[in-house]
Amino acid sequence: MQRRAAAIYVAFFLVVGAASFSLIATASAPQLSFENPDHSLSEGESITVDGEEYLVQDISAETEEGELTRSGTLNTTNESARYAIEWANDSTVTYDGTDWTVSTDNESETFTLTEEIDRAAILQNDSDVENETTTVDGQEYVVERASGNESRELIPVDEYFPAPETREYAVGDEIENVENETVTVASVTTDAATLEYFAPETTEIAVSDEANVTVGSTTYFAHFPDNSTMVLTQEFETYDQYEEEVAMQTTMTNGLWGVSILSGLSAFFLLGLAYLPSRY
C-alpha cells in the first residue's frame, strides 16, 4: 500500500509539473504594437515638425552577445545657419596664407591686420648677414658678415626688413576666403572682431528603440517593429500597458517554473521514501 500510494502521488506531481512546464513552453510573449502611430517611416522618408523637415537617414540592427538592438537617425538641415568667427585683439591669425596680428578699435568699429614678418626666415635666406640680430645701445641691428679685412656693418632692422603690410576692415565689410568662406564683419569691440557667414547646417537626432525622442518641440515614443521601420508615436499609455503585461507574464512564468521544480523534487522525494527498507 505504501508504494502504491507513493506511486499515485508521484504520478500526480509529475502531471502537475508537466502541465506547468507546458504552459511555460506554449505561452506567447506580449507584442508591442500601436493602432494609430503618428509616423511609420522607412529609410529615406521624411516628416515635417514645426515647419522643419526631418529625414530618416538610417535604420540599423546590430546583434551583440545574442541580443538584437535596433536604432536609427533623423536629420534636419537649416539652409541658412549663422556661423561666427572671432579674431581676438592682439592675437595672431592665419589668413590668405600669411600670419597677421589683430588690432581692434571699438570707437571706429574697425580692426587692422598687420602682417607678421618672419625675420628668422629672411636672415637665414640671406648669406650676406648673420642669422641673428644684435642690440647696441638699445637699438636692434642686422649684422652684415665681414668680408676679407672689412669690418662688420650694422644695419638698423627698420632699414633691412620690409615694412609689414596692413589691412583695415570696418563693420559691414566682406572678407573673402576666411576658412574657405566669404565672411562679413558683424561687430568690433575692444576684445575682438566678430566675423559671420551663413551656410547650411545639418543636425542629427539619434533614435533608440523603445525610448522617447524629441523632434522639434514634440516628444515621441520610438519603436522599431522590424529592421527597416521606425515608428514614432505619442501613444505612451500603450507602452505602459505593454510593460505591465510583460511584468505580469514574468511573474506568472517564474511561478510556473517554481511549480514545475517543486513538483519534480516532491515526486523524487516521495519515490525515495517509498523504497526505503521497513524496520518492521
Side-chain angles (χ1 to χ4, degrees):
M1 289 295 296
Q2 181 182 2
R3 292 183 179 178
R4 288 183 181 179
I8 293 172
Y9 283 114
V10 167
F12 170 76
F13 283 118
L14 289 177
V15 170
V16 171
S20 298
F21 183 79
S22 66
L23 288 175
I24 296 173
T26 58
S28 58
Q31 298 297 316
L32 178 59
S33 62
F34 300 93
E35 293 183 2
N36 298 299
D38 295 75
H39 307 285
S40 182
L41 306 166
S42 299
E43 194 170 298
E45 294 184 335
S46 63
I47 60 174
T48 300
V49 180
D50 298 336
E52 290 191 32
E53 185 179 25
Y54 294 83
L55 175 72
V56 181
Q57 181 177 345
D58 65 74
I59 296 175
S60 61
E62 297 179 356
T63 302
E64 185 174 349
E65 296 181 357
E67 184 175 349
L68 177 64
T69 301
R70 296 178 176 133
S71 61
T73 305
L74 294 170
N75 67 33
T76 181
T77 301
N78 181 353
E79 295 296 338
S80 186
R82 179 181 182 271
Y83 294 82
I85 301 169
E86 282 199 351
W87 284 352
N89 186 37
D90 290 333
S91 67
T92 299
V93 299
T94 300
Y95 165 62
D96 206 15
T98 304
D99 290 338
W100 309 79
T101 299
V102 180
S103 302
T104 63
D105 187 338
N106 185 37
E107 293 185 2
S108 64
E109 293 189 319
T110 63
F111 72 92
T112 302
L113 296 180
T114 303
E115 180 187 14
E116 291 193 350
I117 303 300
D118 190 349
R119 292 185 173 186
I122 294 175
L123 292 174
Q124 290 177 0
N125 290 330
D126 189 348
S127 59
D128 293 331
V129 298
E130 299 289 343
N131 289 339
E132 295 183 357
T133 61
T134 186
T135 302
V136 179
D137 296 332
Q139 180 70 34
E140 189 177 10
Y141 295 93
V142 173
V143 181
E144 189 176 25
R145 297 181 189 274
S147 177
N149 295 327
E150 297 179 1
S151 60
R152 297 186 303 172
E153 181 181 351
L154 300 180
I155 307 170
V157 291
D158 292 341
E159 296 180 11
Y160 178 81
F161 293 109
E165 179 186 355
T166 60
R167 300 182 184 182
E168 185 176 291
Y169 301 95
V171 171
D173 287 350
E174 288 189 347
I175 308 176
E176 295 183 354
N177 200 31
V178 177
E179 297 184 6
N180 298 320
E181 298 287 344
T182 296
V183 302
T184 301
V185 182
S187 64
V188 178
T189 66
T190 55
D191 296 323
T194 300
L195 317 176
E196 67 178 12
Y197 66 95
F198 296 87
E201 179 185 44
T202 298
T203 302
E204 291 189 353
I205 302 174
V207 184
S208 300
D209 191 22
E210 296 188 14
N212 289 347
V213 59
T214 299
V215 182
S217 60
T218 305
T219 299
Y220 295 102
F221 179 80
H223 176 52
F224 295 83
D226 52 50
N227 294 344
S228 60
T229 305
M230 176 191 297
V231 170
L232 301 178
T233 181
Q234 291 185 299
E235 298 178 48
F236 300 104
E237 66 282 352
T238 300
Y239 182 68
D240 293 338
Q241 183 179 355
Y242 164 76
E243 284 193 312
E244 291 177 1
E245 292 175 358
V246 170
M248 186 181 301
Q249 188 191 44
T250 300
T251 301
M252 182 185 69
T253 301
N254 291 339
L256 290 173
W257 271 116
V259 171
S260 296
I261 293 171
L262 185 60
S263 297
L265 291 175
S266 298
F268 180 78
F269 181 71
L270 286 173
L271 193 62
L273 288 178
Y275 284 90
L276 285 175
S278 176
R279 293 183 179 182
Y280 305 100

